[in-house]
């Protein structure tokens, strides 16, 4: 019915209050934007309140918010899609697809409950970053829910994410230190193993 990109008011099944999400509708199947990170000057090292409620940094940076993501993921029927932009000319983007994605509510600190990598629809040899994080709660620099106390993954990686005792094998909310190219080797840059390059930007959507 609607084919215009923009903000839409939705009411997920089970939710008692509607909320606004960013939808991309003009090209192919509709997308609900979870993360958009394309501007190096925009830092994702945000507070717990910001990750919970969401934040909008303009067209090149936004995070939907954990509370909204919880309500959207309850059905476990939506794919959690990640696209890493490698080059602009020619345009090359690496896609990673997780099925049956679900997180818990605020009482669990938005624990990652389910995420199954679909290898047939994902880049060959991509590391399954999320499966090893199932059972982990979301963390930010001011709310470190990692069971390994003192590890400090949010501060080390420069952003909020689900972390375990080894932090994570991906860092979508890290810093965009450069315009693509080889990884610099610092922990707080955006990366997804086993790729030896850092992306120009990253999109995540349902």
């Amino acid at each position: 019915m609607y084919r215009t990109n923009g903000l839409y008011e939705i009411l997920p099944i089970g939710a008692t209050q509607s909320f606004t999400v960013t939808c991309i509708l003009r090209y192919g199947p509709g997308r609900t934007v979870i993360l958009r990170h394309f501007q190096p000057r925009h830092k994702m090292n945000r507070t717990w309140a910001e990750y919970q409620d969401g934040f909008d940094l303009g067209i090149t940076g936004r995070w939907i918010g954990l509370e909204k993501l919880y309500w959207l993921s309850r059905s476990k029927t939506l794919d959690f899609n990640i696209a890493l932009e490698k080059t602009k000319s020619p345009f090359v983007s690496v896609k990673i697809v997780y099925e049956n994605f679900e997180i818990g509510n605020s009482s669990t600190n938005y624990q990652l409950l389910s995420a199954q990598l679909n290898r047939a629809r994902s880049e060959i040899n991509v590391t399954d970053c999320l499966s090893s994080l199932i059972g982990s709660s979301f963390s930010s620099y001011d709310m470190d829910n990692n069971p390994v106390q003192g590890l400090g993954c949010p501060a080390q990686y420069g952003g909020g994410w689900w972390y375990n005792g080894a932090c994570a094998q991906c860092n979508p909310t890290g810093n965009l230190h450069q315009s693509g190219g080889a990884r610099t080797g610092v922990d707080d840059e955006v990366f997804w193993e086993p790729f030896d390059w850092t992306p120009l930007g990253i999109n995540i959507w349902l």
Side-chain angles (χ1 to χ4, degrees):
M1 178 177 178
Y2 298 105
R3 303 305 298 173
T4 302
N5 299 342
L7 299 176
Y8 287 87
E9 193 83 7
I10 65 171
L11 180 65
I13 295 174
T16 58
Q17 186 173 349
S18 62
F19 52 79
T20 301
V21 296
T22 300
C23 296
I24 307 298
L25 301 173
R26 294 185 65 183
Y27 308 104
R31 300 178 177 184
T32 303
V33 176
I34 305 303
L35 171 70
R36 184 167 174 79
H37 186 17
F38 277 85
Q39 176 54 256
R41 65 184 175 85
H42 289 158
K43 305 302 181 184
M44 296 289 176
N45 201 17
R46 302 275 165 164
T47 65
W48 176 260
E50 288 176 292
Y51 270 107
Q52 185 173 40
D53 298 338
F55 50 88
D56 189 345
L57 305 173
I59 193 171
T60 57
R62 61 189 46 164
W63 168 259
I64 190 173
L66 289 163
E67 188 64 21
K68 292 179 181 179
L69 185 56
Y70 159 68
W71 286 108
L72 288 169
S73 74
R74 288 186 72 198
S75 67
K76 291 200 301 185
T77 60
L78 299 175
D79 293 340
F80 191 76
N81 302 272
I82 303 105
L84 310 173
E85 186 175 321
K86 185 176 182 181
T87 60
K88 287 189 178 295
S89 183
F91 178 78
V92 177
S93 180
V94 169
K95 189 175 181 183
I96 307 158
V97 180
Y98 282 89
E99 298 176 334
N100 303 319
F101 177 82
E102 184 185 17
I103 66 172
N105 61 21
S106 60
S107 69
T108 70
N109 292 318
Y110 305 101
Q111 186 180 61
L112 182 59
L113 300 177
S114 176
Q116 299 172 352
L117 178 65
N118 185 320
R119 290 203 173 274
R121 298 168 59 198
S122 301
E123 183 74 11
I124 296 174
N125 297 325
V126 67
T127 296
D128 183 359
C129 175
L130 294 189
S131 291
S132 63
L133 301 176
I134 290 175
S136 300
S137 294
F138 198 91
S139 289
S140 61
Y141 77 85
D142 62 338
M143 179 73 83
D144 191 347
N145 295 306
N146 194 318
V148 181
Q149 295 298 317
L151 195 59
C153 294
Q156 179 183 344
Y157 275 41
W161 195 245
W162 295 273
Y163 299 109
N164 59 19
C167 289
Q169 294 174 295
C170 59
N171 190 25
T173 61
N175 294 311
L176 295 168
H177 286 299
Q178 56 182 352
S179 299
R183 282 188 61 181
T184 64
V186 298
D187 290 334
D188 70 346
E189 68 185 346
V190 174
F191 67 84
W192 199 291
E193 294 184 358
F195 306 125
D196 60 0
W197 46 269
T198 182
L200 294 167
I202 180 169
N203 276 315
I204 299 178
W205 70 92
L206 297 176

